[in-house]
Amino acid sequence: MKESILKKVQHLLKIFVSRKKMGVNVNGYLPDPDKILAENGYDYEILRDLIRDGHLSAAITQRKMQVMQMGWEIQYENEEIKKEAIEITRNLDLQKIASQLLDCILYGYEVAEIEYRKINGKIVPVELEEKPQEWFIYDSDNILRLRSRAGAGSRAGSRSGSRFYYIYEEGEKLPEYKFIITRNNPKYTNPYGEKLLSKCYWPVIFKRAAIEYWQLMAEKFGTPYFLARYPSTFTDAQIDELVNKLTEITENNVAAFRDDIPIEFKESMKYEVGGLFSNIITHYNSEISKVILTETLTLDIGKVGSYKAAETHREMLEFMGVRDKKLIEKSLNTLFDYYVKINYGLDIGPRIKLTKKESVIEETVQRDKTLYDMGIRFTEEYFNKRYNLNTVDYKIRKVNE
């Protein structure tokens, strides 16, 4: 390309419109725009507390398991580095790491600090440890930084009574090759990512209120009770004694009464209001499922829903699993990029690929045996992929053909 043309296109290499140019966030930091967090002092415990809800917890587990059940393989041209990447992966707790990194779909983003050790002369990652989201803040250039802290006080960003509070300013720069950041649908206007727990906030809160009120109604009107009729000549003291004896029946299942005082066992009346509470809770459970799973029938098919509809919802859940596995692959590939940059000076490291574990079914085995008898010979790579095996799991016995 000629020098004159290069001069004309130099502007293409720079950002034209920025927050600084538009006079937005000139203080150097970018507050999280999430309204639920903002209304609760940016306290992430508000969101973490929601996971105590059983339905929400089950939905999260179901979504995570789409990725956590997957196998993996490493791809790289340099065989020596590939072997090192395989060894690193085997020594990592991928189940825990995948679960932690997938929390980004709940909280918008997830920050994991890499723990390195010197092994055989190389700097090797041995652990990824998640860090609380409230410890970090994005600057006006959408770069994540460590939040600054100040002395005792109580402000937005800290709990009342804390010995310190977080300062809303640019923060401290994070060291290179030390952190992995996984984000869910980040945007220029919201680098903190999309928080699905924020969308579950009101459904969980309203559901809790419905359950609490339903429980009170059940305690008042839903349990059997005893009814005693006393003569009009009874004194207040005799009435109090009668009530105490009825209480004894409830607590001890034993009491003695005069034979002229009739005691009746009354069952609670049937109220349709119980169905109302049940419908309210079912509605909010459905909303929670839609937010986390984008569907409802894999978690609770209820009284409606055909087999075909359930299959369609299951396919949608699998699509979400494919989407989520790309988040994990991207983060782990960043880890390998760091590894080769630190130890070899290379820019691009091995690539990890998460693979869906297929069940070994009788038809597949029979098909492969038939093809073998026809003269087709399979490679080790085929057997490893098709039957979820590793080369170290078996030995090849040579036969005379």
Side-chain angles (χ1 to χ4, degrees):
M1 187 177 292
K2 295 182 179 180
E3 185 176 350
S4 58
I5 298 178
L6 285 174
K7 290 182 179 180
K8 291 182 180 180
V9 297
Q10 283 298 313
H11 66 281
L12 299 178
L13 305 177
K14 300 178 181 179
I15 298 297
F16 181 71
V17 180
S18 65
R19 290 190 177 93
K20 184 176 181 180
K21 186 174 183 177
M22 301 304 295
V24 180
N25 301 112
V26 293
N27 293 326
Y29 69 88
L30 184 66
D32 194 324
D34 186 88
K35 292 184 178 181
I36 297 297
L37 277 182
E39 291 172 358
N40 290 278
Y42 293 97
D43 186 357
Y44 274 84
E45 290 300 320
I46 296 296
L47 300 181
R48 296 184 184 115
D49 179 71
L50 299 178
I51 302 180
R52 293 192 298 112
D53 180 86
H55 188 89
L56 175 57
S57 178
I60 292 170
T61 300
Q62 187 176 99
R63 178 160 177 177
K64 284 186 175 183
M65 286 304 299
Q66 300 299 308
V67 176
M68 294 172 63
Q69 67 177 331
M70 292 183 178
W72 56 272
E73 59 184 42
I74 301 295
Q75 300 173 348
Y76 202 56
E77 294 181 356
N78 187 304
E79 288 297 326
E80 186 63 31
I81 296 179
K82 179 180 177 180
K83 290 179 180 179
E84 294 174 4
I86 291 174
E87 186 65 21
I88 290 172
T89 306
R90 284 177 177 168
N91 292 330
L92 292 173
D93 188 349
L94 285 187
Q95 288 280 313
K96 185 190 78 169
I97 291 172
S99 179
Q100 290 178 351
L101 296 182
L102 285 175
D103 278 348
C104 72
I105 65 178
L106 307 178
Y107 304 104
Y109 74 106
E110 183 72 13
V111 181
E113 182 172 2
I114 307 171
E115 179 184 344
Y116 292 97
R117 290 180 188 170
K118 193 170 184 179
I119 302 175
N120 297 327
K122 294 184 174 66
I123 306 299
V124 180
V126 296
E127 181 65 279
L128 270 72
E129 193 65 41
E130 65 175 338
K131 303 297 180 179
Q133 287 82 4
E134 55 265 39
W135 290 2
F136 302 90
I137 194 168
Y138 276 93
D139 64 18
S140 56
D141 294 322
N142 285 9
I143 303 299
L144 192 68
R145 304 175 75 93
L146 183 67
R147 292 181 69 175
S148 302
R149 301 191 306 173
S154 177
R155 297 186 182 181
S158 71
R159 298 182 189 179
S160 178
S162 298
R163 294 184 179 180
F164 65 89
Y165 58 86
Y166 296 113
I167 301 175
Y168 286 97
E169 60 181 28
E170 192 174 16
E172 180 182 347
K173 183 180 179 180
L174 299 179
E176 286 187 306
Y177 315 124
K178 189 60 175 170
F179 291 90
I180 289 180
I181 305 163
T182 311
R183 297 187 290 174
N184 181 44
N185 296 331
K187 298 179 180 179
Y188 181 78
T189 54
N190 180 19
Y192 294 90
E194 181 183 13
K195 301 172 179 60
L196 295 191
L197 285 182
S198 290
K199 297 181 179 182
C200 293
Y201 180 78
W202 288 117
V204 172
I205 295 300
F206 290 146
K207 176 184 169 183
R208 286 177 180 175
I211 292 175
E212 181 180 2
Y213 195 68
W214 192 5
Q215 183 66 30
L216 291 174
M217 294 286 288
E219 291 176 358
K220 288 183 177 180
F221 307 108
T223 56
Y225 59 95
F226 291 95
L227 176 65
R229 305 179 188 277
Y230 59 87
S232 59
T233 57
F234 262 39
T235 64
D236 290 342
Q238 288 175 311
I239 294 174
D240 292 338
E241 182 182 1
L242 178 59
V243 171
N244 290 336
K245 287 183 178 293
L246 291 174
T247 304
E248 287 182 18
I249 297 179
T250 305
E251 296 178 352
N252 304 322
N253 296 325
V254 176
F257 293 89
R258 289 166 35 183
D259 59 2
D260 61 340
I261 299 179
I263 305 296
E264 298 179 47
F265 179 78
K266 293 285 188 180
E267 292 189 24
S268 59
M269 296 178 63
K270 308 298 182 184
Y271 288 100
E272 291 298 327
V273 68
L276 173 62
F277 285 112
S278 179
N279 290 337
I280 290 174
I281 293 171
T282 299
H283 167 73
Y284 287 124
N285 280 341
S286 176
E287 293 301 300
I288 291 169
S289 292
K290 291 175 185 176
V291 170
I292 302 298
L293 303 174
T294 71
E295 48 83 20
T296 59
L297 294 184
T298 60
L299 198 59
D300 186 7
I301 196 169
K303 298 180 180 179
V304 296
S306 64
Y307 174 80
K308 186 65 177 179
E311 282 295 307
T312 302
H313 284 218
R314 190 173 295 108
E315 288 179 3
M316 188 62 204
L317 182 60
E318 291 179 357
F319 294 153
M320 295 303 298
V322 173
R323 182 260 187 192
D324 291 344
K325 89 179 183 72
K326 292 180 180 180
L327 294 174
I328 306 302
E329 288 173 343
K330 182 179 179 181
S331 295
L332 293 177
N333 288 335
T334 300
L335 179 70
F336 289 130
D337 287 344
Y338 289 172
Y339 174 75
V340 298
K341 185 68 174 180
I342 295 170
N343 294 286
Y344 296 98
L346 302 175
D347 292 326
I348 300 177
R351 303 290 94 173
I352 188 170
K353 182 179 179 182
L354 300 180
T355 57
K356 182 179 178 181
K357 292 185 177 180
E358 300 180 21
S359 59
V360 180
I361 55 178
E362 185 177 351
E363 290 82 356
T364 303
V365 176
Q366 186 61 43
R367 184 204 66 180
D368 289 350
K369 185 178 184 302
T370 302
L371 292 174
Y372 180 87
D373 293 339
M374 294 172 61
I376 295 177
R377 297 296 179 261
F378 300 104
T379 63
E380 290 184 29
E381 184 179 5
Y382 169 80
F383 277 104
N384 291 344
K385 288 183 177 180
R386 190 67 187 90
Y387 297 102
N388 299 317
L389 298 172
N390 288 317
T391 305
V392 296
D393 295 334
Y394 61 89
K395 293 182 180 180
I396 298 178
R397 179 172 59 88
K398 294 183 180 180
V399 297
N400 295 325
E401 300 191 13

